[in-house]
Structures are given as structure tokens and as C-alpha cells.
Amino acid sequence: MQKLLLFVDKVSTWVGQAFSWVIVALTLHISWEVFSRYALDHPRAWAFDAMIMMYGTLFMMAGAYTLAKNGHVRGDVIYGFFSPRAQAILDLTLYIVFFIPGIVALTYAGYFYAADSWRINEHSNITYEGPPVYPFKTVIPLAGAFVLAQGIVEIIRCIICIRQGEWPAREEDVQEVDVDKLKHELHVKDEDIAKLDKFVVQQERHQ
């Protein structure tokens, strides 16, 4: 079971990292549009449409990745005081009551939303040369499917935690620096840091 959970984590991670390159494309696109508009006096009417689509794609396709890394916003001030089993019970309740119905509805409705867009060869009507919209709308059910798959994995994790009393492992990825772990690995104590601070202050006074 753990191998299956980690496999879905890896898929969500790969998808999130792959679509993170949209940031680069979006940055280049905006930079060129600014240069073209103000330096060349040649703005492109469809540029704003493209920006919205690229940002929306990045935002939606990062959903499963963020869920896999347990990075979505929650009330950690209160949540952090709960035991792992209590956290799992709360998470499981919220997944069943809110997450599953919402994501299933998004994926289901998004499929027909995208299908209609492909059927009519929809283009943006904001400008006369608007870009095609159907590829962007296809992202909606696609992102919903990835988030749903990751959500099912999270539900299984909640059940395992309720039974075992601790959270199962996740796929590792780039994380913020754990200061305590770093000090342990470098064999540095708080007393050593305090002495170094005192030494630096003394040296500055002598200067």
C-alpha cells in the first residue's frame, strides 16, 4: 500500500515540477510584451489573454503537487496542537464532506466545459485576434483528475494514521531548511552560536 501511495506522490510531484516551467515561459512572455509595447510601440492584443491562460494553467496543475507535499493552507495554529490521530480524523471528515464532492463536481463539469469548447473551436473574444481557449479549458478536468487521485491517497493516509497513530511517509522533495536538523548534522549547539555572537560583538567594539 505504501508503495502505491508514494507512486501517486511521485506522479503528482512530476506533474507539478513539469508545469513549473510555465513560470519561465510566463516571465519571458511578459518581459517581451513590456519591451514590445514600450520600446517598439507594438503591443499585441492577445498578450493579456495568453498571460491569464498560462497563469491559470500553472495554478491549477500545481494543485496535486501542493496536496502531495501537504502544503495547502490550514489553521496550523490550532491544528498543530492536535495529536496525529485527531488531525487525521479532522482531515478525513473534511475530505469526505467538502473535498470529494467539490473535486468530483469540478472534474465532471470541467469535462463537458472543455468538450463544448473543442466542439465550437472556441477562441477568446476579448480581442479580435484572441488565442484558442479550448487547450486551457482542457486543463480544468485534467487538473481535477490529478487532484482527485492525490486526494484519495490523502484519505488513505488519514485512515492509516487513525489506525496506527502516526502519519505514513511522503515522497520527499525540496523543503524549507530545518534549522534544528541542520545544527544536529553540523554538531553545532546553541551555546556555540551564543559564544560566536558574543565574540563578533566584541570584535566590532574593538574596531
Side-chain angles (χ1 to χ4, degrees):
M1 177 61 72
Q2 181 65 9
K3 290 183 178 180
L4 177 60
L5 300 183
L6 293 178
F7 172 76
V8 177
D9 281 353
K10 289 180 179 179
V11 172
S12 297
T13 299
W14 183 87
V15 171
Q17 291 176 344
F19 276 88
S20 68
W21 286 98
V22 176
I23 297 175
V24 178
L26 181 58
T27 302
L28 294 175
H29 173 69
I30 294 176
S31 299
W32 175 254
E33 175 59 21
V34 171
F35 176 78
S36 178
R37 179 181 295 268
Y38 294 103
L40 305 180
D41 193 25
H42 183 65
R44 296 167 296 177
W46 53 267
F48 185 70
D49 294 350
M51 293 177 199
I52 295 176
M53 293 179 191
M54 293 170 72
Y55 179 76
T57 298
L58 173 64
F59 180 84
M60 295 198 68
M61 295 306 296
Y65 171 85
T66 307
L67 187 59
K69 305 309 172 188
N70 198 26
H72 283 290
V73 177
R74 63 158 59 96
D76 286 332
V77 175
I78 300 175
Y79 184 87
F81 288 103
F82 295 165
S83 66
R85 183 172 281 111
Q87 292 176 349
I89 293 174
L90 177 61
D91 285 355
L92 181 60
T93 302
L94 295 177
Y95 275 121
I96 293 175
V97 175
F98 295 106
F99 177 87
I100 293 297
I103 295 300
V104 169
L106 173 69
T107 307
Y108 179 80
Y111 170 79
F112 294 101
Y113 193 53
D116 288 340
S117 183
W118 278 89
R119 180 174 53 82
I120 64 176
N121 192 27
E122 184 179 10
H123 283 62
S124 173
N125 58 7
I126 297 178
T127 61
Y128 70 91
E129 53 180 357
V133 176
Y134 44 87
F136 172 62
K137 289 189 175 180
T138 304
V139 171
I140 298 174
L142 186 63
F146 280 117
V147 173
L148 180 61
Q150 186 63 47
I152 293 173
V153 166
E154 298 306 317
I155 289 175
I156 296 174
R157 281 199 171 99
C158 289
I159 296 173
I160 293 175
C161 183
I162 293 172
R163 292 179 177 178
Q164 299 181 353
E166 60 181 8
W167 288 104
R170 292 178 177 273
E171 171 70 10
E172 294 185 359
D173 192 22
V174 178
Q175 301 289 340
E176 294 182 4
V177 175
D178 188 330
V179 178
D180 292 332
K181 183 177 180 180
L182 183 62
K183 288 192 293 187
H184 176 72
E185 292 177 350
L186 298 177
H187 306 289
V188 176
K189 299 180 180 179
D190 292 335
E191 295 82 3
D192 299 328
I193 298 176
K195 291 179 180 178
L196 179 60
D197 289 341
K198 185 177 180 180
F199 174 77
V200 171
V201 171
Q202 289 176 347
Q203 293 296 316
E204 289 179 348
R205 287 177 179 176
H206 291 311
Q207 292 177 358

